[in-house]
Amino acid sequence: MMKRGQYSHGAGKGGVRTSDPLRLGVHNATEWRGDKWRRAARHVSTSAQLLHFDGLTPVHWLVKVWRYRRNPKDVQKVILQAHRAAQMDWMSACGASIEGAEAAHETLFALTPDRRAQPEAFDLLRHVPFDPFSVLGADAPDLTPAAFNSDRFVLRHGELPG
């Protein structure tokens, strides 16, 4: 269920200079060539740092899985790489209840000591303190998982979408 050590999109994330005549997508930049937009040449950064969340909470990630699975099968074949489709098949099988789906998410994404070892060996993990309350005071949003999940389908309706 991984590609090149990633659970997410195997192409990574795209970025472009603001002066480039490119159209930025989530994973790639495209440029107008001939009569249509085509993927632009890639230049892999060796110094960029990226903070990325594949869903802010387990429930957000699960909603993303369900959203993908609502697409017609022919669309899914185009937009999902094989490792991502395998994750979604597995999540569908495990996710008959909220508890089962959250446990499956934990199995995939929990940063256990074993999973931390390799990125730590390459100095790739950073602990970045994040406390908007210290800057915003009472105007700071509630960033707990429960607050993020409160607007999700699952918590409003108490059931998984079929």
Side-chain angles (χ1 to χ4, degrees), residues 3-155:
K3 182 175 182 180
R4 292 196 302 257
Q6 297 182 53
Y7 287 106
S8 60
H9 195 285
K13 296 295 179 189
V16 299
R17 290 183 196 94
T18 57
S19 60
D20 286 345
L22 301 172
R23 184 171 69 179
L24 182 60
V26 175
H27 302 290
N28 303 293
T30 55
E31 60 186 346
W32 187 258
R33 275 191 268 145
D35 60 345
K36 68 180 189 175
W37 288 96
R38 299 176 190 270
R39 186 177 290 175
R42 292 183 180 185
H43 303 281
V44 177
S45 172
T46 58
S47 61
Q49 295 183 12
L50 174 69
L51 177 61
H52 178 259
F53 297 96
D54 197 2
L56 293 171
T57 69
V59 172
H60 278 77
W61 188 82
L62 297 168
V63 169
K64 181 179 179 177
V65 169
W66 297 325
R67 189 180 67 238
Y68 275 124
R69 281 301 187 216
R70 287 190 180 123
N71 285 302
K73 292 288 183 193
D74 59 325
V75 173
Q76 289 181 43
K77 287 180 183 179
V78 172
I79 64 174
L80 295 175
Q81 294 181 356
H83 74 290
R84 196 62 139 177
Q87 289 176 18
M88 294 184 188
D89 290 342
W90 182 73
M91 284 300 301
S92 295
C94 295
S97 69
I98 293 171
E99 294 79 15
E102 287 177 330
H105 179 275
E106 181 79 5
T107 298
L108 275 184
F109 293 109
L111 194 56
T112 63
D114 288 345
R115 287 181 176 171
R116 292 181 67 93
Q118 186 176 18
E120 282 178 338
F122 289 101
D123 196 29
L124 295 174
L125 292 180
R126 302 274 188 277
H127 175 73
V128 179
F130 181 73
D131 180 16
F133 187 79
S134 66
V135 176
L136 300 174
D139 292 328
D142 182 352
L143 299 177
T144 63
F148 273 109
N149 293 343
S150 66
D151 65 344
R152 300 292 80 184
F153 175 91
V154 175
L155 298 179

